[in-house]
Amino acid sequence: TKAPPEVVDSTQAPTPSGVFTVPNALSMLRLILIPLFVWLVLFNDAPGWGVVVLAIAGVSDFLDGFLARRWNQVSAFGTFLDPLADRVTSVVVPVVLAVVNIIPWWLVVALLVRDVVVFLALAQLRRTGQLGLPVTFVGKAATFALLMGFPFLLLGGEPGGTAQWSTVVGWLLTVIGLGLYWLSAVVYLGQVRSMTRSNP
């Protein structure tokens, strides 16, 4: 169910209707959860509840795509809303974690630069009339690893006996996610190059 600004699953033909669907409601829920996460972590000093919010966002990210395909509820609105929620999450969450000194700013820059590179490549692709690229397993795995790693890092910043192992697990998932995130960008850039050559 992914679409610009990143990718769209070309195996599913989005329908123009179906705005009020469960998958779209889950994507909207993710957008609503992001300002709640910011408020909990930055202004209410409640990182534990921030972890809960991220967990719910991660589950909804999996369910919206799964249910859209399973229930044949892929819609034009969903192909816009779902990636929008993903991009907002991928930008806001690491910035908040950097502000509270959970992760370094270089990691935020690495994630944002990757998104900019892919966005510019897809902008070039759209000039040839193509709307997007098929979703890749690498891209999905990268998003999953990051959405799992960030909550563990947030838990690692809390005092207690689980802080050390939470930090280790969090960094392991985050580093894997970052690597896969850039690997997926390389895959997308290769696809864009191939498609622009065949559609000058």
Side-chain angles (χ1 to χ4, degrees):
T1 62
K2 308 294 181 186
E6 182 148 336
V7 291
V8 59
D9 189 345
S10 61
T11 64
Q12 296 286 340
T15 59
S17 59
V19 172
F20 300 104
T21 65
V22 172
N24 289 348
L26 290 171
S27 295
M28 185 61 71
L29 173 64
R30 285 213 309 287
L31 283 174
I32 295 172
L33 288 175
I34 296 308
L36 177 60
F37 172 79
V38 173
W39 178 75
L40 287 170
V41 177
L42 289 186
F43 302 106
N44 203 43
D45 193 23
W49 284 108
V51 171
V52 173
V53 168
L54 288 183
I56 296 173
V59 171
S60 71
D61 182 46
F62 166 77
L63 284 179
D64 62 5
F66 173 78
L67 293 178
R69 292 185 294 270
R70 185 70 176 269
W71 294 348
N72 194 27
Q73 291 185 348
V74 179
S75 66
F77 181 65
T79 60
F80 165 77
L81 185 63
D82 184 27
L84 174 63
D86 286 346
R87 298 285 67 78
V88 171
T89 302
S90 67
V91 171
V92 174
V93 172
V95 167
V96 170
L97 295 184
V99 168
V100 296
N101 297 316
I102 297 294
I103 64 173
W105 281 102
W106 66 259
L107 178 57
V108 179
V109 173
L111 293 171
L112 295 181
V113 168
R114 182 270 185 194
D115 280 343
V116 170
V117 169
V118 173
F119 175 81
L120 293 176
L122 290 175
Q124 177 65 30
L125 179 64
R126 283 194 288 273
R127 293 194 181 99
T128 68
Q130 301 289 331
L131 293 179
L133 297 170
V135 176
T136 66
F137 173 79
V138 176
K140 288 183 177 180
T143 302
F144 176 79
L146 291 171
L147 286 177
M148 290 294 293
F150 289 152
F152 276 106
L153 289 176
L154 195 54
L155 281 176
E158 289 293 284
T162 62
Q164 185 174 1
W165 73 265
S166 294
T167 300
V168 171
V169 173
W171 271 113
L172 178 63
L173 290 169
T174 300
V175 169
I176 291 174
L178 178 62
L180 292 175
Y181 208 48
W182 271 98
L183 178 60
S184 68
V186 172
V187 173
Y188 294 143
L189 290 175
Q191 292 175 336
V192 168
R193 183 179 182 184
S194 175
M195 295 176 73
T196 52
R197 282 184 172 180
S198 60
N199 295 281

